[in-house]
Amino acid sequence: MAVISASGQLDVPQDWLTMTLTVSRDGGDASVVQTQLRQAVDAAMAIAKPQVATKQLEVRTGSFGVFPRHGSNGKIAGWQGTAELILEGHDFLRISSTAGKATSMGVGNVAFSLSREAQQKLESEAQSMAIERFKAKAAEVAKGFGFAGYTLREVSVSSAGQGERPVYARFQQAPMAASVASDAPLPLEAGKSQVTVTVSGSVQLR
C-alpha cells in the first residue's frame, strides 16, 4: 500500500469589489446626531439606488450607531455617531463612480475578493487538476515498483484559498473633498486570489 498526495493550484484576478462609504457626526443632542447621519445615508442612497444592477452593483447599509462622548469629569459631554453604506459587485467602474458622486459620505474601506461563483468554479477546476495529478502519480508509483496498476483504497479532498497581494485601502476623503471630482472614478486595481485543492489517499499496488 502506498500513500499519495497531489495538488491543483490556480490563480485568478479578484472579481468582486466591496466599497464602504462612511460618515461621522458629533453634537450635543443624540437625536440631532442620529438625524444628521440618517440624512447623509439617505442622500448617498438616493445616488446609489438608480445604479443598482444585480451582481454588478448592490447596495446595503452597514453599521449605524450613536454613542456618548464623555468629558474629563466622566459625564456625557456630547454624542458621536457613525454610519456606513456598502457598495459591492463586479462592475468596478460603476461602483467607484457612484461612490465619487455620493458626496454626503466619504470612502472608507475598499476590499477586493473572489465572488462565490468564481470561487466555486475555481475550486472545481483545481480539484479536477489535483485528481488527474493524483492518478498520474499513483500510476507512476505502481510502475516504479513493478506493478501493473493500483486500486484506490481511501481518499480525501481538501481546499484552501488565499488572496495574493490582498488589496485593502483606506481613503481619508471628506465629503467636501469628494465633491471636487465627483464624476471621476476612484483609482482601483484588483489583486489575485489563489485556490489550492489537495487530494490525498492510499492505494493498493497490484
Side-chain angles (χ1 to χ4, degrees), residues 22-188:
T22 64
V23 62
S24 61
R25 292 290 185 268
D26 192 308
D29 189 311
S31 63
V32 171
V33 172
Q34 180 173 321
T35 298
Q36 291 174 340
L37 292 174
R38 176 54 59 193
Q39 289 173 341
V41 172
D42 287 346
M45 187 75 80
I47 297 294
K49 273 191 173 181
Q51 301 301 320
V52 169
T54 304
K55 300 294 184 181
Q56 301 307 306
L57 192 163
E58 299 180 354
V59 182
R60 58 185 171 89
T61 54
S63 63
F64 187 108
V66 178
F67 310 95
R69 173 170 47 80
H70 296 87
S72 57
N73 59 2
K75 295 182 178 180
I76 295 177
W79 296 85
Q80 293 177 320
T82 59
E84 296 178 341
L85 185 67
I86 300 171
L87 312 179
E88 58 186 349
H90 291 296
D91 194 334
F92 298 173
L93 180 59
R94 183 189 294 236
I95 293 170
S96 60
S97 296
T98 300
K101 294 174 183 177
T103 58
S104 64
M105 303 182 76
V107 178
N109 290 318
V110 176
F112 291 98
S113 60
L114 203 60
S115 65
R116 182 176 301 178
E117 297 84 359
Q119 178 81 18
Q120 292 174 343
K121 182 175 184 293
L122 194 63
E123 287 185 353
S124 178
E125 292 176 355
Q127 178 175 293
S128 296
M129 182 185 298
I131 290 173
E132 290 304 314
R133 289 178 176 176
F134 180 93
K135 290 162 62 178
K137 185 178 290 187
E140 183 179 348
V141 169
K143 182 179 179 180
F145 281 102
F147 290 87
Y150 65 90
T151 301
L152 185 63
R153 297 192 56 169
E154 294 180 356
V155 67
S156 65
V157 180
S158 61
S159 64
Q162 65 180 27
E164 179 183 334
R165 294 180 293 115
V167 182
Y168 290 99
R170 185 168 184 83
F171 294 82
Q172 300 298 331
Q173 180 180 22
M176 289 301 294
S179 65
V180 174
S182 60
D183 292 331
L186 299 172
L188 300 171

Side-chain angles (χ1 to χ4, degrees), residues 189-202:
E189 183 177 353
K192 289 186 177 181
S193 284
Q194 180 186 92
V195 170
T196 301
V197 175
T198 300
V199 176
S200 302
S202 59

